[in-house]
Amino acid sequence: MAQTQGAYYVPHGSHWPIIGSFGLLGTVGGAGLWLNEADIGKPIMALGIALLLFMMFGWFGTVIRESVGGKYNKQVDTSFRMGMIWFIFSEVMFFAAFFGALFYARTYSVPWLGGEGHGALTNHYLWPAFSAAWPTNGPGAVGGAFSTMSPWGIPLINTLLLLSSGVTITIAHHALRAGNRKQLLVFLALTVVLGVIFLGFQAHEYAEAYGHLNLTLGSGVYGSTFFMLTGFHGMHVTLGAIMLTVIWFRCAKGHFSKDNHFGFEAVAWYWHFVDVVWLGLFLFVYVL
């Protein structure tokens, strides 16, 4: 339906949701078949991912065209803001689950297996040689002996990179509100570059962990929590860098104004969330 003055914009029927549904079905179903060693699993999953990418490109493009076409009003802007807030909250809960697993293993499971509290008999009869020390790959020494990554090398560099990127995107935001397009594009590009450098260092760190430290995803509870937390964070940095790149091209085309730029703000919120999560990772995974 066409928008009328003061009314909430309701778009025409869209084919993107059904395409996204088939994409999700193919991705998850194909992954399940692949894990169960079915040859058809990989191509089905690849097709599902392709459909998801096609859907995201098309659907976001539709929303952008509607936005620059002046079809959204203040009420729609409020809905977008509420949606982004709930999305980031769901991401907070996502990482809280993995941090919770880390804290539970360190605070309860490992000491219990080492004989503390009610675990005295368990330790005495099942794991008498196990010492409750962190990091550990458990009483079964799953994955063999490993070494941990020093927090004062690549992890510290990556922390400085992400903190710097939080500063650059804030400067870019202020430049947008001041109408300074040149400064906006420069500092937004710097934010993307810092994110890409972060990912490069993380890839190098993973190669070092697997190649020289024998620290893998199969290195017991420490290896699994280490790679689940840092890996999913790296995935979020990748998505954030892609979104920032899209926003940069939109800014270069003259999209957004000092009073109407929620697309930029939403990505900035997401990037700051990624920064905060990394600080928690650096402290609780690497340092402590």
Side-chain angles (χ1 to χ4, degrees):
M1 60 177 288
Q3 182 192 26
T4 57
Q5 185 65 30
Y8 191 89
Y9 176 72
V10 179
H12 294 284
S14 174
H15 56 281
W16 297 120
I18 188 64
I19 293 177
S21 298
F22 279 112
L24 284 172
L25 177 63
T27 302
V28 177
L33 291 170
W34 184 14
L35 290 175
N36 285 278
E37 302 180 352
D39 293 336
I40 199 174
K42 288 184 181 180
I44 291 179
M45 187 178 73
L47 178 61
I49 293 174
L51 281 175
L52 284 177
L53 293 175
F54 174 67
M55 176 272 296
M56 293 178 67
F57 185 84
W59 203 344
F60 279 113
T62 299
V63 172
I64 290 171
R65 287 189 292 272
E66 291 172 350
S67 177
V68 298
K71 296 181 178 180
Y72 295 160
N73 57 17
K74 185 65 177 178
Q75 191 175 7
V76 176
D77 182 79
T78 300
S79 295
F80 280 145
R81 292 177 184 274
M82 292 177 63
M84 193 63 190
I85 289 170
W86 280 112
F87 170 69
I88 292 178
F89 176 76
S90 71
E91 293 283 65
V92 170
M93 293 296 101
F94 177 85
F95 278 100
F98 292 115
F99 274 112
L102 174 67
F103 294 147
Y104 186 87
R106 291 179 60 171
T107 306
Y108 296 103
S109 298
V110 171
W112 183 72
L113 290 172
E116 292 186 14
H118 297 291
L121 292 178
T122 299
N123 177 260
H124 178 75
Y125 288 107
L126 296 181
W127 313 106
F130 177 66
S131 176
W134 188 266
T136 180
N137 51 1
V142 178
F146 66 89
S147 299
T148 59
M149 188 70 61
S150 171
W152 311 118
I154 290 178
L156 178 60
I157 295 173
N158 274 346
T159 300
L160 296 176
L161 286 170
L162 278 190
L163 290 177
S164 299
S165 72
V167 174
T168 56
I169 197 171
T170 300
I171 295 174
H173 189 194
H174 285 293
L176 175 58
R177 298 187 67 176
N180 189 338
R181 287 277 167 176
K182 183 176 180 180
Q183 187 181 56
L184 163 65
L185 292 174
V186 168
F187 280 92
L188 190 55
L190 280 175
T191 306
V192 175
V193 170
L194 289 170
V196 172
I197 295 174
F198 172 93
L199 292 171
F201 274 120
Q202 189 172 53
H204 177 77
E205 179 187 55
Y206 278 12
E208 179 74 12
Y210 267 78
H212 299 93
L213 304 179
N214 194 37
L215 176 60
T216 70
L217 189 60
S219 297
V221 66
Y222 180 80
S224 60
T225 52
F226 175 86
F227 283 102
M228 289 295 284
L229 280 163
T230 60
F232 272 118
H233 179 268
M235 183 189 74
H236 282 72
V237 173
T238 303
L239 292 175
I242 293 172
M243 291 190 290
L244 286 171
T245 302
V246 173
I247 292 298
W248 188 92
F249 280 107
R250 291 193 62 190
C251 290
K253 291 187 66 175
H255 293 189
F256 307 124
S257 67
K258 64 179 182 178
D259 298 318
N260 184 19
H261 53 266
F262 174 67
F264 180 98
E265 285 184 318
V267 178
W269 292 357
Y270 184 85
W271 195 255
H272 287 307
F273 160 75
V274 168
D275 290 348
V276 172
V277 171
W278 177 258
L279 289 177
L281 281 172
F282 179 68
L283 180 62
F284 295 111
V285 175
Y286 290 99
V287 177
L288 298 181

